[in-house]
Amino acid sequence: MRSPLTRRDAAVGAVLAAIHLTLLASTLDIGFSRDESFYFDAAEQYSAWYDVLLANPGSAFSKDSVDRYFAYNAEHPALPKMLFGASWRLFGKMHDPTEEPFSRGWYFQGKPPATILGWFSESTAMRLPALLLASFLVFAVYLFGVEFLGRRAALFAALAWMFQPHAFWHSHFACFDVPVTALWFLMAWTFLKSMPPPGEPRLRSHAMWALLTGVLMGLALNTKHNAFFFPPMAVLWWVLAKRREFGISLQGAGLKVRIPPIPLAFFAMLLVTPVVYWALWPRLWHDPISHLKWYFSFHAKHEYYWVYYFATLYTKPPFPLGFPFVMSAMTIPGTTVLLFLAGALRLSKEYLVRLGARFSDSLSTVSSHLPSREPGVVLFIFLNFLVPFLVIAHPQVPHFGGTKHWLHGVTFACLMAGVGFELLLDGCRDLADRIGGIFRTRRVRIAGASLILALFVGPAAWDTMTDTADGSSYYNAFAGGRAAMGEMGMQREFWGNSAFSALPWINQNLPPGSRVDFHDTTWGAVQMYRRDGFLRRDITPVWDYKSADAFLFHWHKEFTDIEADARSFYKSAVPGFVWAPGGVPLLDAWVKTSARNLGKTP
Amino acid sequence: MTGPVTRIALSSILVAAALAYIGMAAVQRANVPDEASWEQAASTVRAGWKEGDLVVFWPAWAHAGAAGFQGLAVDIAELPDWYEAAKHPRVWVVASPSGKEPELPGGWHAVSRTEAGRITVHMWTPGELVLAWDGLQSLKDAKVSRGDGEKRQGCSTWQDGKWHCGAQHPWQNVGRISRDIAGRVRDVIWAHARDNSEPLEIRWAGVSAGRTLTVNVGLTQRAIEQVTGSPVEFEVRVGDRVEISRSIDINEAGWFRYDIDVSNLGPVDVTVRIVAKKNQDRQLCFTADMWR
C-alpha cells in the first residue's frame, strides 16, 4: 500500500540528489556531443530574445521577434534551450571582447553578452538546468520508491539510477534526454498520486496532483516528443488496472455501461497541458497548426542513423527488435541488471500468485503472505518501463543515439531492480535467521544489509565514476567490458564527443596554426571548446582531411572508408594518437607527413 | 511459494553472480595494456624489425598503442586478414590482453614469443607458398577495356593509380583503393561494374608462373547496404579457360576466395570480366595473386 512520505524520507532523497549533483559537477570534463552543440547554439540565439523582452516586452511576442530568435532548431520545443540560454546569460563567464577581440566571432550576435554573475564556464552554465533536473530526478525516484515500494527498494532504485555510466554521461548535457526522463518520471508520479487508493474517496489533494500532472505533461512535451507516449500508456494502464470495474449489462430496454471514475489527470492533460504546451513554445504562438504539422512530419520522417550491432551495420529498416533490451542488458552495470531480473521475477510471481488465488485456496494462503502493494502500481511501473523500450524496439523506428532514447523507461527498471534488492535482503535475513546467534542482532543485520548494498552498488559506482568522459562507450563486465565493442562488433561512439579526449594532444603537439579535421565533431562543439579554453585558439577547424594537417577519426563502422582514404592521403600506416579507454580505440588521430612536428609545443 | 529456502537460494545465486561480476570486471581491467606495456612491445618489435615485416594486433581491433609503431608497416583493421599478412615474410603479432594467446593460422610457424608487460609479442612466419605476383601491385601492367567485339574500347588513361576509359571518372575506373569489405578495410582493386551489361575487363598477360592463383572478390560495405543495381557477374579466365564464374547478389556480403591450381602451366594470361545489367552502387572489388 501507499506509504506516507516523511520529512526523513525527503531528507534522504535530498541527500541522494545532492550527492548526485556533486558527482555530476565533479565530472564536467566531458566532451560536447553533436546534439548538445546544436542546443548550445540554439540556447544562445533564444537568449537574445530575453533582451527584447526586457527592453520592449510588447514587441517580444510579435511574430517577427519569434521568427528572428526562435527560428533555429525548431524541430524541438524551445523550453530546455530557453532555460539553458537563461542560465548561460545569468551564470556564464563570457569573454571580454575588448581584451579578446577575436572572441567576437564566436558569438551569435557578433559579440558576447555582458557577464552577469560569471560563476561558471559557458558550457557549464548552459548545462546547469539539466544537471539540476537530473539531480532532482534522483530525489523523485527515491520518494516514488518509498511511497509505492518501500524504503529498501527505493534506496537501491535511486542508487541504481545514479550509477549508470550511460545515463550519468547523458545527465551532464544541455540536451533533452535526461530532462524528459525526469519530467516523464515526475508526471508518472503525480499521475499515480492523483489516483485515490482503491476504496478511498477522491480528495482535493488528488485534484491538485491531477492538475500538476497536466502542467508536468505540458513541460515534458515542451522538452521532447517522447512525452506524447505517456497519455496512451496511462489510458492503457487505467483500462487494464480497472478492467473489473468496466461492464455492460442489459437494463430494461437499453444497455447500461459501467465505467470506473475517469482519472482527473486525463482532464488535466486535455485542458491544462495544451495551454502549457502552447504558452512555452514561442513557435506555436502565431501559427500553431502549421508548425505542429511540420514538427510531426519532421519526426515521422526522421532520417535513419546507422547502428553497428553485433558486427552488422544497420543502415535502414528493419532494425533489430531486441536492440533496446539487449543494449540495456549490456550497458547497465551487471549488478543492477541482476537485481532487475530478480525484481521482475518477484513481481511476476506475485502477479501469478494473486491471479491464482482467485481459483485456489492454497494460493490464496500464499497470497496473504505477499508484500502488500497497491493494486495497479506494479502494472504502472511495468508499463512505464516497457513502453519506452517498445517504442524504440519497433523495427521501423530509427535506432540512432545509442541508449538515450529509452532512458525514461530505465528509471522504472531501476524501481524493479529495487524490488530485486528487497528480495535479496529478504533471503539474507532468512539465512541469518537460520544461522541464528549474533546474526539475529539488529546491528549485524544492518551491517550485513550495508555490505549487500555495497556489493551491488559498488561495482556500478566504480563503472560510472571511471572513464566518465566516455560513458556512452561503456559495456558491462558480463558483456565483456568495453572490449565488447571490438569483440562483438558493437557501436563504440555515438555523438562526436571523443574529440574532447584528443584536445590535450592537439594543444601539446600540433604546430601553431595547424588545421584539424574534427570529423564527427560539430562546428558548434569546436567553438565551445575554444570558448571554454579547451582548445588552442590558433587551431583552425576544417571538415576536409585533405586540407587539414590532422584528422580526428571517430571510430564508427560507417566511417572506416574515410579513415582508409585519409590514411592513404596522409601516407601513414599508423595514427599519431589513439584514444582508447578500456583498450578499445574510439578515436584515431592521423597526422599529415608535413605536420609531423610532434612534441613541439607552440 | 517463495519460502525461506527459495529466497536463500535466490539470494545466494545473486550474491555469487555479483561476486563473479566483480571478479570479471577486475580481470578485464587488469588485462588492458598500460602505456609501459605498449612501449615495451614497440621496443621489442623495433629491435627485431626487418624490411618487409608487418605488425598486426591481436585482437585486430586492439590497436590502442599503435602510435608507438610509427614508421613500421602496421595493419590496424578491425578484423585480421591472415591471407594478406602472408604476403609478408615475417609478421609481428602484438597480442593483448594478456592471457589470451593468438591463434596461429594453419600452415604458419611461430618463431618467437616475448612478454612485454601485459602484452605478448609474437613473431610468426607464413606458410611455404611465396607470393610470385600481385595483381594489385601490377595494376599498371594490366590492359583494361570496356565493351565487347567491335565495341571494345581500351581504357588507356592511367592517372593517380587508376585506369580510366577516356576522361577521368570518379568511380567508373579501375584502380587501387582501400574499402570496407566483409568486416574490415581491405586494399583492393576497385572495378565498379558498368551499366547495361557492358563488360569491363582487366587483363594481365604473362603473369609469372606459380602453383596457385588466388582471387578474392566481393562488394563493398556501401554497395551491400543499397537495394540498387543488379547482381554482378564475375568471371576469371586463365588463358582461354573460365576458372571462376560467379554471380554476386546486390546485398551479398563477403570476401569470396578462390584458389585455382595453375601448376605446370608456366606464365599465364589472367583476365577478370565484370558484367551487370544495372550498375548503380555495384562497387565490386577484387584481388588476384599468384603463389609459388
Side-chain angles (χ1 to χ4, degrees), chain A residues 521-543:
Chain A
T521 303
T522 62
W523 165 254
V526 175
Q527 282 290 64
M528 193 56 90
Y529 287 139
R530 285 168 152 179
R531 277 158 64 164
D532 275 358
F534 289 114
L535 178 65
R536 263 171 36 202
R537 189 165 57 81
D538 64 283
I539 297 293
T540 304
V542 292
W543 277 266

Side-chain angles (χ1 to χ4, degrees), chain B residues 32-103:
Chain B
V32 175
D34 52 9
E35 211 164 302
S37 299
W38 281 112
E39 281 171 13
Q40 215 178 322
S43 301
T44 304
V45 172
R46 285 183 193 282
W49 187 259
K50 283 185 182 171
E51 189 62 31
D53 286 0
L54 174 74
V55 176
V56 301
F57 298 97
W58 178 271
W61 51 263
H63 71 260
F69 297 82
Q70 291 286 349
L72 309 182
V74 179
D75 179 14
I76 61 158
E78 190 186 357
L79 294 175
D81 186 346
W82 296 116
Y83 172 83
E84 282 298 322
K87 293 179 177 176
H88 298 260
R90 305 194 314 166
V91 177
W92 296 88
V93 182
V94 179
S96 62
S98 54
K100 252 189 182 177
E101 286 293 305
E103 294 159 21

Side-chain angles (χ1 to χ4, degrees), chain A residues 487-547:
Chain A
E487 285 290 304
M488 298 187 196
M490 304 298 284
Q491 191 85 22
R492 300 189 192 183
E493 203 261 17
F494 295 98
W495 293 105
N497 54 288
S498 295
F500 177 78
S501 303
L503 299 180
W505 174 82
I506 290 174
N507 291 335
Q508 200 177 350
N509 293 294
L510 291 188
S514 291
R515 295 158 66 87
V516 175
D517 179 348
F518 280 86
H519 188 209
D520 204 32
T521 303
T522 62
W523 165 254
V526 175
Q527 282 290 64
M528 193 56 90
Y529 287 139
R530 285 168 152 179
R531 277 158 64 164
D532 275 358
F534 289 114
L535 178 65
R536 263 171 36 202
R537 189 165 57 81
D538 64 283
I539 297 293
T540 304
V542 292
W543 277 266
D544 170 23
Y545 67 82
K546 289 183 180 173
S547 65

Side-chain angles (χ1 to χ4, degrees), chain B residues 94-174:
Chain B
V94 179
S96 62
S98 54
K100 252 189 182 177
E101 286 293 305
E103 294 159 21
L104 192 70
W108 286 50
H109 306 287
V111 177
S112 67
R113 181 185 186 281
T114 312
E115 298 277 349
R118 295 175 182 175
I119 294 173
T120 51
V121 178
H122 305 253
M123 210 271 278
W124 293 350
T125 53
E128 290 164 5
L129 289 177
V130 176
L131 186 66
W133 172 83
D134 183 336
L136 181 62
Q137 304 300 335
S138 311
L139 189 58
K140 197 176 178 183
D141 304 331
K143 299 281 182 211
V144 178
S145 64
R146 66 181 190 188
D148 259 336
E150 290 182 0
K151 289 186 177 174
R152 180 184 292 268
Q153 183 191 347
C155 302
S156 53
T157 308
W158 174 259
Q159 196 128 22
D160 299 331
K162 296 179 174 77
W163 287 109
H164 299 270
C165 304
Q168 275 198 69
H169 194 281
W171 49 269
Q172 290 235 327
N173 59 52
V174 175

Side-chain angles (χ1 to χ4, degrees), chain A residues 306 308 313 316 334 349 424 427 430 456 462-463 466 474 476-477 486-487 557-558 560-561 565 574-576 585 588, chain B residues 1-2 4 7-8 11 14 21-22 24 28-29 59 61 63-64 66-67 70 74 76 78 179-180 183 222 225:
Chain A
W306 295 356
Y308 196 37
L313 186 61
K316 56 184 178 296
K349 190 217 71 178
L424 175 65
D430 291 336
F456 280 79
W462 177 269
D463 288 352
T466 48
Y474 165 84
N476 68 33
E487 285 290 304
K557 180 64 175 168
E558 67 269 28
T560 50
D561 285 347
D565 290 343
V574 178
D588 292 337
Chain B
M1 197 157 154
T2 308
R7 281 198 297 267
I8 291 170
S11 299
L14 286 169
Y21 180 82
I22 292 169
M24 288 164 75
Q28 286 161 7
R29 280 176 187 275
W61 51 263
H63 71 260
Q70 291 286 349
V74 179
I76 61 158
E78 190 186 357
R179 280 293 168 267
D180 194 331
R222 287 293 92 80
E225 289 160 4

